[in-house]
Amino acid sequence: MKSREIREMTEEEILNSLEDQKEAMFNLRFQKASGQLEDGNAPRRVRRDVARLKTILREKQLAKEVAKKEGSNA
């Protein structure tokens, strides 16, 4: 998942995607433990996607707070 794609999402869509990625990470852990994991880089990609989603979600939240403060100061 690319940052550009995530930035175009709404906060709700980001949260849904975050839940999906966390579930995927959970499943990958089980696959690794049982020896069925074919792509050894998959957990790393999912972890990075989760970090990317959280980062962009926080950016959006901070932007809202700044806009709210500027609106109340005017």
Side-chain angles (χ1 to χ4, degrees), residues 51-63:
R52 214 174 273 124
L53 287 163
K54 285 183 174 183
T55 300
I56 294 172
L57 179 63
R58 183 66 180 146
E59 286 176 1
K60 287 181 178 257
Q61 291 170 344
L62 289 174

Side-chain angles (χ1 to χ4, degrees), residues 32-69:
K32 184 176 181 181
S34 64
Q36 297 176 351
L37 185 63
E38 293 179 11
D39 184 7
N41 289 325
R44 178 186 230 177
R45 279 195 302 274
V46 172
R47 256 194 336 266
R48 288 182 177 182
D49 284 344
V50 167
R52 214 174 273 124
L53 287 163
K54 285 183 174 183
T55 300
I56 294 172
L57 179 63
R58 183 66 180 146
E59 286 176 1
K60 287 181 178 257
Q61 291 170 344
L62 289 174
K64 271 188 179 178
E65 289 177 19
V66 168
K68 190 184 298 184
K69 283 183 182 179

